[in-house]
Amino acid sequence: MDRDLLSIQEVRDLLKECKVAQNKFATFSQEKVDRIIYEMVEEIKLHNERLAKMAAEETGFGNWQDKVLKNKFASEYLYEYIKNMRTIGKLKEENGVIEIGIPMGIVAGLIPSTNPTSTAIYKVLISLKGGNGIVVSPHPNAKQSIIETVRILKEAAKKAGAPEGLIGVIQNTTMEATTELMKHEDTSLILATGGEAMVKAAYSSGTPAIGVGPGNGPAFIEKTANKALAVKRILDSKTFDNGVICASEQSIIVEKESKREVVEELKKQGAYFLDRDESKKLGDFILRSNGTMNPQIVGKTALKLAQLSGINVPCNTRVLISEESEVSKKNPYSREKLAPILAFYTEESWEKACERSIEILNVEGKGHTMVIHSENRDIIMEFALKKPVSRLLVNTPGALGGIGGTTNLAPALTLGCGAVGGSSTSDNITPLNLINIRRVAWGVSELEDLKGSATSKISCEDEKLEELVRKVIADILNR
């Protein structure tokens, strides 16, 4: 059988098994589901480092040490957030309305190559927490590490009492397989994390979908900020796993009066400012002739990027920075760069910085994330009211703040971008996004009550009108 046909048949078989398993799983109590989730988290703990090394070696993106932390975040940190969350059966009762959590069914989990093992852990856990089954579609460039991650979770779930087939993963990875998974009638919801084309395909599949667009978050260092701490946070974020988290900063904006201090601090902490020739060399390497990002830059260190583009930089360089004045689709520095590369913009005032931020986001990254470093609450609120983002992060690293690591946002590796970003939600996706809520509502009034209320209102208005007419007539007669 041809590979594409074989992969389609595999998807159909996985969905058939998952449907039977999920129908049984949907009868489990909240306590039984929670026990399965607990056992899965306990098991995956034992493999975080091995899976991180697998992902780094297979993809060539980032570094395994940071991927260990991401795996831990997607399991242990996430578990602490969701362990007491009610998702099944009666959720709450108030004002004569009972809310009941209902599983959606089967989730299609599309996993990217940038955060492969951590995203697989996260999506499997939140899907099962909502009483759903899941079939995972791995990115071909991270296929083995994703399959191994899902295998561990699947065996742990089965051992804890989950039905056979509740968790599936495509072994024969093809575009046709992913398309079949997304469009199949037994797929209830697509949870899509990855490239813009794939997310658009998910939304156009005819199946309900939650997808996220690209990030391109600017970071504004306002003049009242602690400059040294702001720079530390930005560089910590941009170098974490070599910048592959889409919430990481893509540009820095400063006011003119702060420029010198910020530049000195950036250089002090390991940033290298490119000259014009170097900026052009790296820019030509970043952006391909068709206007898309060169995948060779993804998750590489600053030193490796310099080497690949023919630039000599100091051996302690952590981030490459290009000073820019233009924002456009053709300017690679004003686009999303999943690598330790930053644009640097200088503006006359915070108002101009506000406008520049919007300009950057309108080119790419609408609805996603931006960061502001400031001690001026009024300016922070001005940014909050005007920026087309779903997350405005204050005084925190963008990559870790956006996913809920260094903030109190919901821990998530799928970040909704809202309608402005072409997404169906602006949430950090949790199990609550993967359930339907059935509402049981008691009657509190009768038809006569509604009619009586409306009649009395009309009668009252009529009396007021009649009184006004009498006064006008009396006034005319008196004249």
Side-chain angles (χ1 to χ4, degrees):
M1 186 181 291
D2 290 340
R3 186 165 177 266
D4 58 340
L5 298 178
L6 186 66
S7 68
I8 291 171
Q9 187 60 55
E10 182 191 6
V11 168
R12 291 175 180 172
D13 291 342
L14 288 169
L15 286 169
K16 186 177 180 180
E17 289 179 12
C18 192
K19 186 176 182 180
V20 173
Q22 194 277 325
N23 284 337
K24 183 177 179 181
F25 191 58
T27 67
F28 284 19
S29 67
Q30 182 77 74
E31 291 70 28
K32 195 170 182 180
V33 169
D34 288 349
R35 185 64 194 177
I36 292 170
I37 298 296
Y38 170 78
E39 294 295 342
M40 292 167 70
V41 171
E42 287 299 300
E43 180 62 29
I44 206 71
K45 279 183 187 180
L46 307 176
H47 304 274
N48 281 338
E49 183 173 318
R50 181 171 68 86
L51 293 173
K53 288 178 177 177
M54 278 188 71
E57 184 177 351
E58 185 177 14
T59 64
F61 300 160
N63 63 79
W64 70 265
Q65 293 90 343
D66 288 341
K67 291 185 189 299
V68 172
L69 180 56
K70 285 198 294 188
N71 288 343
K72 187 174 181 178
F73 173 84
S75 52
E76 298 168 55
Y77 195 98
L78 173 70
Y79 178 73
E80 289 301 313
Y81 184 83
I82 68 173
K83 66 180 181 181
N84 296 321
M85 184 183 286
R86 298 292 306 180
T87 55
I88 293 166
K90 183 179 175 181
L91 306 181
K92 67 177 182 178
E93 179 177 1
E94 59 184 29
N95 297 326
V97 177
I98 297 176
E99 293 187 354
I100 297 174
I102 308 296
M104 286 190 170
I106 299 175
V107 175
L110 278 54
I111 312 297
S113 57
T114 46
N115 306 294
T117 56
S118 52
T119 305
I121 295 167
Y122 157 74
K123 287 191 178 182
V124 171
L125 290 177
I126 65 171
S127 295
L128 266 63
K129 175 68 177 181
N132 304 293
I134 182 170
V135 175
V136 169
S137 176
H139 191 287
N141 294 342
K143 174 181 172 180
Q144 297 308 320
S145 54
I146 293 170
I147 288 174
E148 177 63 7
T149 302
V150 176
R151 183 194 66 79
I152 294 166
L153 293 167
K154 182 177 180 178
E155 289 185 2
K158 182 182 175 182
K159 189 175 179 181
E164 179 70 41
L166 187 66
I167 302 169
V169 59
I170 300 170
Q171 306 278 336
N172 298 293
T173 52
T174 65
M175 285 295 294
E176 291 81 7
T178 302
T179 300
E180 179 71 11
L181 177 62
M182 292 194 296
K183 292 187 175 183
H184 198 281
E185 62 182 3
D186 287 338
T187 299
S188 306
L189 177 76
I190 303 167
L191 196 52
T193 309
E196 192 171 4
M198 185 269 285
V199 171
K200 285 183 178 179
Y203 277 116
S204 62
S205 67
T207 302
I210 298 174
V212 298
N216 190 30
F220 174 42
I221 304 177
E222 192 263 332
K223 63 185 177 183
T224 64
N226 180 327
K227 312 297 190 306
L229 189 53
V231 167
K232 175 194 176 295
R233 288 165 173 161
I234 291 170
L235 296 193
D236 282 350
S237 173
K238 198 59 180 166
T239 57
F240 182 78
D241 207 16
N242 295 341
V244 297
I245 294 180
C246 55
S248 63
E249 298 84 347
Q250 303 297 322
S251 53
I252 295 173
I253 306 171
V254 298
E255 294 152 293
K256 190 174 182 179
E257 62 185 280
S258 304
K259 178 180 178 179
R260 181 178 172 183
E261 185 180 355
V262 172
V263 168
E264 287 178 356
E265 194 60 50
L266 282 164
K267 290 179 178 179
K268 180 180 174 183
Q269 296 192 35
Y272 178 81
F273 278 77
L274 304 162
D275 62 29
R276 284 295 93 190
D277 288 341
E278 292 169 333
S279 287
K280 187 175 188 312
K281 278 185 179 180
L282 180 60
D284 289 342
F285 184 69
I286 294 171
L287 204 62
R288 295 187 293 188
S289 57
N290 63 359
T292 61
M293 286 292 158
N294 183 353
Q296 291 185 58
I297 74 166
V298 177
K300 301 297 188 296
T301 64
L303 293 175
K304 185 64 176 178
L305 290 167
Q307 179 189 343
L308 289 171
S309 54
I311 299 168
N312 293 316
V313 300
C315 60
N316 65 343
T317 299
R318 299 173 65 199
V319 171
L320 303 173
I321 297 181
S322 176
E323 195 162 353
E324 297 293 321
S325 58
E326 176 198 1
V327 174
S328 75
K329 279 277 188 183
K330 294 180 180 180
N331 181 355
Y333 295 102
S334 60
R335 301 274 301 278
E336 182 187 44
K337 307 162 292 296
L338 298 180
I341 304 169
L342 288 162
F344 188 91
Y345 294 92
T346 305
E347 304 299 333
E348 290 293 332
S349 63
W350 72 262
E351 291 91 347
K352 291 295 182 183
C354 187
E355 292 172 11
R356 179 67 82 181
S357 299
I358 294 172
E359 186 182 8
I360 291 169
L361 290 163
N362 282 334
V363 162
E364 191 171 44
K366 281 189 297 185
H368 208 290
T369 306
M370 84 159 287
V371 184
I372 181 171
H373 298 271
S374 173
E375 298 302 323
N376 188 321
R377 189 174 178 85
D378 291 338
I379 291 177
I380 292 168
M381 287 308 301
E382 283 293 321
F383 271 69
L385 291 168
K386 293 179 180 178
K387 297 298 160 292
V389 291
S390 299
R391 283 154 291 276
L392 178 68
L393 308 176
V394 183
N395 299 332
T396 193
L400 299 169
I403 64 174
T406 59
T407 64
N408 286 328
L409 293 174
L413 291 171
T414 297
L415 310 180
C417 297
V420 68
S423 182
S424 57
T425 179
S426 57
D427 293 345
N428 280 23
I429 305 304
T430 74
L432 295 178
N433 295 97
L434 307 184
I435 64 171
N436 289 316
I437 297 178
R438 179 181 297 148
R439 290 171 176 84
V440 182
W442 271 256
V444 294
S445 61
E446 301 295 337
L447 177 59
E448 290 78 12
D449 299 323
L450 299 177
K451 284 184 176 180
S453 174
T455 302
S456 63
K457 185 176 180 181
I458 293 169
S459 176
C460 181
E461 294 297 327
D462 287 346
E463 288 176 6
K464 288 180 181 178
L465 181 60
E466 288 178 8
E467 179 64 23
L468 178 62
V469 171
R470 282 196 295 270
K471 287 182 178 180
V472 171
I473 292 173
D475 185 51
I476 292 171
L477 292 175
N478 288 335
R479 289 178 189 173

